Amino acid sequence: MGRHDPERALAAARREFGEHGGVCPSVERSTTFTVMAPETMPEIFHGLRGPDKGGYFLYSRHFNPTVDVLARYLAALEGAEAALCTASGMSAISCTLLQLCQQGDHIVSSHTVYGGTHALLAEVLPAMGVSTSFADPVDSESFAAAITPRTRVLFTELLGNPTLQVADIPALAEIARRRGLRLVVDNTFTPMVCSPVQLGADVCVTSLTKFVSGASDLIAGAICASREFVQQLMDLRTGRAMLLGPTLDPRVAFDVIQRLPHLPLRMREHGRRALAMAERLEKIGAPVCYPGLASHPQHQRFGAMANPGYGSGGVLTLDCGTRERADRLLAALQNQTRFGLIAVSLGYYDTLASCSGSTTASEIEPEAQAAIGISPGLVRLSVGYTGTLEDRVCQMEEAVRAAGLA
Ligand code: PLP
């Protein structure tokens, strides 16, 4: 078997037609489903006849035909056995961690994670008796050193938000395997580009809100893992996804299904433009960071993990040093040169820019931000693909010069 190619795997999995032979899958909006004979119902409840066993649907918080189609496509894309769709990226993360950890358990997490994830690990889970130690994503051995007898999970983002530090997934997978732990990887920044499960992760969590949706008009998430883990999440008595209930609406699932065929094209174009932008910024002496640049400290590590042909993702950062200079850059990008929009989030077709320390990483205390390399002037750019590349590079350069960064 050759190396996993997400585009091929997705194309092979996309076999679902509409109810009347439509080229699009049907949207099944029913919350409840009938059976022909009353005896069937208890069999579904006892797990003997669920749709995963070639049987029937029961209730849409459990399984929904349209949401199931999306889950199958995402599992194929990530090279995982199975997947479960959730109502947000955060619920994918929280249900996964709550399924794997009980009161008294411990997590070792990368210190560079999305602010919401950081707050979950540092504030919410400790209140439930689950503690977290934070480790350096660049140094896999710092994860090993933080493991205690109560550790159950190693958690990291493959490409850390917002510093773009690259975690070594095969090395962390090996540590997890040796110590009997589960490795959970957030692949929100790099769908298609990297496939964490194929690199050894037990669970890949993703916010579909970003690149996978691509239009900044819906919130959704997914958990890609073994069939056994997905079944655990959906267990009627103990499944955290089943019982906490972050169910994805089938209409939203349908929207995501319709966007998957062009995800490979979009990721390649995000990557092509982000690289061109990063190269120009580097050339004019601007403080740019992008994993596709040879100057990125983990450039080689990233290249070794990336699926060939999809580029290095659509996110780059510019460290403006101070919040004032960052604000000057943001204002110039949006209001002067019209390069992009001042907004949080990522993966949109237009460029989105925000100052991370005071927005999406603000849940992390300023001293901790400084310690992990989030300067108050760090601007994160999710590079879009509208307009011509030539015009966009000029607009970016003009804004960077106007902000005094080059
Ligand atoms: N993971 C990462 C890396 C993110 O950047 C975000 C949101 O910004 C999330 C998870 C949460 O996703 P959602 O907003 O879909 O809950």
Side-chain angles (χ1 to χ4, degrees):
M1 211 177 73
R3 188 174 173 158
H4 173 68
D5 181 335
E7 188 170 23
R8 262 203 193 119
L10 178 60
R14 286 190 48 253
R15 303 306 307 159
E16 194 71 30
F17 296 98
E19 212 184 337
H20 306 287
V23 294
C24 309
S26 300
V27 183
E28 178 53 76
R29 292 176 61 178
S30 299
T31 55
T32 189
F33 299 82
T34 57
V35 288
M36 295 305 285
E39 314 82 75
T40 310
M41 204 59 106
E43 290 179 3
I44 304 177
F45 264 98
H46 288 106
L48 302 173
R49 276 183 185 252
D52 51 333
K53 310 232 164 40
Y56 310 101
F57 288 90
L58 173 75
Y59 183 62
S60 277
R61 175 158 47 79
H62 198 185
F63 289 110
N64 169 279
T66 310
V67 180
D68 267 11
V69 170
L70 176 60
R72 272 191 273 121
Y73 291 178
L74 292 172
L77 190 160
E78 288 291 353
E81 226 172 67
L84 181 79
C85 299
T86 55
S88 64
M90 276 317 299
S91 55
I93 296 168
S94 55
C95 287
T96 297
L97 296 178
L98 287 168
Q99 192 72 42
L100 294 172
C101 299
Q102 313 241 347
Q103 194 180 23
D105 287 346
H106 176 250
I107 296 167
V108 181
S109 167
S110 159
H111 56 46
T112 305
V113 290
Y114 162 58
T117 309
H118 194 278
L120 176 74
L121 293 164
E123 310 280 344
V124 176
L125 292 181
M128 299 173 171
V130 177
S131 60
T132 297
S133 300
F134 290 97
D136 181 355
V138 170
D139 174 13
S140 306
E141 283 311 309
S142 71
F143 280 73
I147 293 170
T148 74
R150 292 308 301 261
T151 306
R152 298 287 174 264
V153 171
L154 304 184
F155 180 87
T156 191
E157 291 172 3
L158 190 144
L159 198 51
N161 182 2
T163 60
L164 306 183
Q165 287 170 324
V166 180
D168 186 341
I169 305 304
L172 292 176
E174 178 55 22
I175 293 168
R177 195 193 57 76
R178 264 193 278 125
R179 308 291 289 266
L181 312 174
R182 301 292 186 92
L183 174 62
V184 179
V185 177
D186 183 333
N187 198 34
T188 298
F189 276 38
T190 43
M192 311 299 300
V193 177
C194 295
S195 307
V197 171
Q198 290 286 313
L199 295 167
D202 297 289
V203 182
C204 166
V205 287
T206 306
S207 167
L208 304 177
T209 313
K210 319 293 179 183
F211 288 104
V212 177
S213 142
S216 290
D217 61 350
L218 60 84
I219 304 274
I223 303 167
C224 301
S226 66
R227 184 157 289 108
E228 185 191 0
F229 186 62
V230 168
Q231 280 169 356
Q232 282 170 15
L233 285 160
M234 293 312 294
D235 186 275
L236 289 176
R237 289 185 184 81
T238 57
R240 299 329 192 238
M242 181 65 182
L243 298 171
L244 296 173
T247 313
L248 185 64
D249 188 297
R251 284 167 286 188
V252 176
F254 176 79
D255 285 350
V256 181
I257 290 168
Q258 292 297 80
R259 294 163 197 195
L260 287 183
H262 43 75
L263 179 61
L265 296 173
R266 289 189 279 116
M267 289 314 294
R268 286 197 187 96
E269 190 59 7
H270 279 297
R272 184 177 81 90
R273 295 208 177 201
L275 179 63
M277 223 57 91
E279 283 174 344
R280 175 66 71 92
L281 288 167
E282 191 164 60
K283 201 161 159 210
I284 63 173
V288 61
C289 172
Y290 179 65
L293 289 177
S295 58
H296 187 291
Q298 294 94 43
H299 173 66
Q300 291 201 339
R301 174 186 285 181
F302 188 80
M305 292 193 295
N307 295 313
Y310 296 94
S312 303
V315 184
L316 58 83
T317 64
L318 270 164
D319 189 349
C320 305
T322 64
R323 171 91 184 272
E324 290 68 35
R325 282 175 89 192
D327 285 349
R328 238 186 295 152
L329 174 65
L330 291 172
L333 287 170
Q334 177 178 275
N335 305 328
Q336 185 180 324
T337 73
R338 311 231 174 252
F339 172 76
L341 305 168
I342 305 171
V344 295
S345 201
L346 49 131
Y348 190 40
Y349 46 74
D350 279 327
T351 294
L352 302 179
S354 56
C355 180
S356 300
S358 49
T359 59
T360 53
S362 60
E363 294 88 343
I364 306 171
E365 294 302 323
E367 310 78 60
Q369 285 192 18
I372 63 179
I374 304 178
S375 109
L378 191 76
V379 169
R380 188 188 72 190
L381 285 158
S382 168
V383 178
Y385 49 76
T386 56
T388 71
L389 177 56
E390 213 173 41
D391 288 351
R392 292 301 189 203
V393 170
C394 290
Q395 289 169 320
M396 158 66 97
E397 189 172 334
E398 194 188 325
V400 163
R401 291 194 191 282
L405 291 168

